[in-house]
Amino acid sequence: MQITEIFKSIQGESSYAGLPCVFVRLTGCNLRCDWCDSEYTFTGGRKMGIEEVEAEVERLSPRGGLVEVTGGEPLLQEKEVIPLMERLLNGGYNVLLETSGERPLERVPREIIKIVDVKCPNSGEADSFRTENLDALTLRDEVKFVIANREDYEFARDFTARHELGARVASVIFSPAFSKDASGERDTSHCLLDPRELAEWILNDDVPARLGLQIHKFIWDPAMKGV
Ligand code: SF4
């Protein structure tokens, strides 16, 4: 499979935020979200076999723990990524899969925790989510919305209600979009939507969502890769 990077850091998103985690970042994506912070994954990388990736994960985290398979869009390399995730599961790792939900999820083993990033209207990739994927979600999975403004918020709020996500998955996450060119200050000034405003909307509408901040962008310089 084509791999951009494998590294160990602090998980910055989802309900696993704050935990040490090994990231396996695959090369290539079929979407082009306006605020994508992973454009460097679109091309390049290097070919690695399943055993080679597994060995690198074990080197970085020999006692098990959390591994996130991400990208890019990892399911573009499904034929190798699914066996890799199965091997990591069998090796005792807790495996997260970050995906846009544009690729089918039905073949992903249910023990893998899917973090599905449903694209909002202002992402530039509205309507990319494959609705049939709702049937593949379990109470272990999480659904995330990256929100830039009120229109995105209302889309996420209504999608959550219409599909009863609060009862369908472990967590629904509303996260303010972050400027992709951000660097320097590690504060909320780089958020395209003030987190306080988003928090107030969630509270006012009683949405069963968790406010998510990408904590790695508050720990390190927001422009830093590989963290
Ligand atoms: S799906 Fe993810 S990697 Fe692909 S363009 Fe959107 S944000 Fe970037």
Side-chain angles (χ1 to χ4, degrees), residues 29 31-33 36 38 42 72 100 119:
C29 189
L31 302 187
R32 290 292 179 270
C33 304
C36 178
S38 309
F42 291 169
S100 70
K119 303 301 178 186

PDB file of all heavy atoms in Angstrom, residues 29 31-33 36 38 42 72 100 119, ligand 1:
ATOM      1  N   CYS A  29      -6.328  10.806  -1.920  1.00  0.00           N
ATOM      2  CA  CYS A  29      -7.697  11.107  -1.536  1.00  0.00           C
ATOM      3  C   CYS A  29      -8.487  11.457  -2.792  1.00  0.00           C
ATOM      4  O   CYS A  29      -7.964  12.093  -3.704  1.00  0.00           O
ATOM      5  CB  CYS A  29      -7.765  12.268  -0.539  1.00  0.00           C
ATOM      6  SG  CYS A  29      -9.440  12.442   0.125  1.00  0.00           S
ATOM      7  N   LEU A  31     -11.348  13.205  -2.560  1.00  0.00           N
ATOM      8  CA  LEU A  31     -12.080  14.442  -2.301  1.00  0.00           C
ATOM      9  C   LEU A  31     -11.085  15.608  -2.265  1.00  0.00           C
ATOM     10  O   LEU A  31      -9.871  15.410  -2.204  1.00  0.00           O
ATOM     11  CB  LEU A  31     -12.846  14.357  -0.977  1.00  0.00           C
ATOM     12  CG  LEU A  31     -13.866  13.205  -0.842  1.00  0.00           C
ATOM     13  CD1 LEU A  31     -14.657  13.356   0.453  1.00  0.00           C
ATOM     14  CD2 LEU A  31     -14.801  13.142  -2.032  1.00  0.00           C
ATOM     15  N   ARG A  32     -11.620  16.817  -2.265  1.00  0.00           N
ATOM     16  CA  ARG A  32     -10.786  18.022  -2.184  1.00  0.00           C
ATOM     17  C   ARG A  32     -11.492  19.041  -1.276  1.00  0.00           C
ATOM     18  O   ARG A  32     -12.030  20.047  -1.748  1.00  0.00           O
ATOM     19  CB  ARG A  32     -10.552  18.622  -3.587  1.00  0.00           C
ATOM     20  CG  ARG A  32      -9.645  17.775  -4.481  1.00  0.00           C
ATOM     21  CD  ARG A  32      -8.204  17.742  -3.965  1.00  0.00           C
ATOM     22  NE  ARG A  32      -7.299  16.924  -4.784  1.00  0.00           N
ATOM     23  CZ  ARG A  32      -7.075  15.626  -4.591  1.00  0.00           C
ATOM     24  NH1 ARG A  32      -7.695  14.961  -3.621  1.00  0.00           N
ATOM     25  NH2 ARG A  32      -6.223  14.985  -5.358  1.00  0.00           N
ATOM     26  N   CYS A  33     -11.489  18.770  -0.001  1.00  0.00           N
ATOM     27  CA  CYS A  33     -12.163  19.665   0.955  1.00  0.00           C
ATOM     28  C   CYS A  33     -11.417  20.997   1.027  1.00  0.00           C
ATOM     29  O   CYS A  33     -10.173  21.018   1.011  1.00  0.00           O
ATOM     30  CB  CYS A  33     -12.200  19.026   2.333  1.00  0.00           C
ATOM     31  SG  CYS A  33     -12.989  17.399   2.325  1.00  0.00           S
ATOM     32  N   CYS A  36      -8.803  21.305   3.837  1.00  0.00           N
ATOM     33  CA  CYS A  36      -8.011  20.097   4.100  1.00  0.00           C
ATOM     34  C   CYS A  36      -6.626  20.460   4.628  1.00  0.00           C
ATOM     35  O   CYS A  36      -5.925  21.283   4.031  1.00  0.00           O
ATOM     36  CB  CYS A  36      -7.847  19.300   2.815  1.00  0.00           C
ATOM     37  SG  CYS A  36      -6.830  17.836   3.030  1.00  0.00           S
ATOM     38  N   SER A  38      -4.384  18.071   5.035  1.00  0.00           N
ATOM     39  CA  SER A  38      -3.575  16.891   4.694  1.00  0.00           C
ATOM     40  C   SER A  38      -3.286  16.812   3.203  1.00  0.00           C
ATOM     41  O   SER A  38      -3.152  15.717   2.654  1.00  0.00           O
ATOM     42  CB  SER A  38      -4.311  15.611   5.135  1.00  0.00           C
ATOM     43  OG  SER A  38      -4.711  15.695   6.469  1.00  0.00           O
ATOM     44  N   PHE A  42      -1.830  13.798  -0.854  1.00  0.00           N
ATOM     45  CA  PHE A  42      -2.499  13.512  -2.127  1.00  0.00           C
ATOM     46  C   PHE A  42      -1.594  12.739  -3.095  1.00  0.00           C
ATOM     47  O   PHE A  42      -2.082  11.973  -3.916  1.00  0.00           O
ATOM     48  CB  PHE A  42      -2.982  14.804  -2.802  1.00  0.00           C
ATOM     49  CG  PHE A  42      -4.126  15.492  -2.069  1.00  0.00           C
ATOM     50  CD1 PHE A  42      -4.507  16.779  -2.423  1.00  0.00           C
ATOM     51  CD2 PHE A  42      -4.803  14.876  -1.027  1.00  0.00           C
ATOM     52  CE1 PHE A  42      -5.557  17.428  -1.763  1.00  0.00           C
ATOM     53  CE2 PHE A  42      -5.847  15.513  -0.353  1.00  0.00           C
ATOM     54  CZ  PHE A  42      -6.225  16.784  -0.725  1.00  0.00           C
ATOM     55  N   GLY A  72      -5.420  11.574   3.803  1.00  0.00           N
ATOM     56  CA  GLY A  72      -5.998  10.896   2.656  1.00  0.00           C
ATOM     57  C   GLY A  72      -7.279  10.125   3.005  1.00  0.00           C
ATOM     58  O   GLY A  72      -7.891  10.340   4.027  1.00  0.00           O
ATOM     59  N   SER A 100     -14.003   9.486   5.156  1.00  0.00           N
ATOM     60  CA  SER A 100     -15.023  10.485   4.822  1.00  0.00           C
ATOM     61  C   SER A 100     -16.415   9.884   4.725  1.00  0.00           C
ATOM     62  O   SER A 100     -17.399  10.616   4.685  1.00  0.00           O
ATOM     63  CB  SER A 100     -14.684  11.140   3.478  1.00  0.00           C
ATOM     64  OG  SER A 100     -14.880  10.201   2.429  1.00  0.00           O
ATOM     65  N   LYS A 119     -19.177  15.313   5.295  1.00  0.00           N
ATOM     66  CA  LYS A 119     -18.824  16.655   4.802  1.00  0.00           C
ATOM     67  C   LYS A 119     -20.039  17.588   4.776  1.00  0.00           C
ATOM     68  O   LYS A 119     -21.097  17.230   4.267  1.00  0.00           O
ATOM     69  CB  LYS A 119     -18.232  16.548   3.389  1.00  0.00           C
ATOM     70  CG  LYS A 119     -17.020  15.634   3.303  1.00  0.00           C
ATOM     71  CD  LYS A 119     -15.893  16.064   4.208  1.00  0.00           C
ATOM     72  CE  LYS A 119     -14.711  15.099   4.137  1.00  0.00           C
ATOM     73  NZ  LYS A 119     -13.664  15.424   5.125  1.00  0.00           N
TER      74      LYS A 119
HETATM   75  S1  SF4 B   1     -11.365  13.821   2.808  1.00  0.00           S
HETATM   76 FE1  SF4 B   1      -9.804  14.384   4.322  1.00  0.00          FE
HETATM   77  S2  SF4 B   1      -7.844  14.125   3.224  1.00  0.00           S
HETATM   78 FE2  SF4 B   1      -9.462  14.148   1.676  1.00  0.00          FE
HETATM   79  S3  SF4 B   1      -9.558  16.285   0.997  1.00  0.00           S
HETATM   80 FE3  SF4 B   1     -11.097  16.026   2.625  1.00  0.00          FE
HETATM   81  S4  SF4 B   1     -10.033  16.595   4.532  1.00  0.00           S
HETATM   82 FE4  SF4 B   1      -8.462  16.246   2.940  1.00  0.00          FE
END
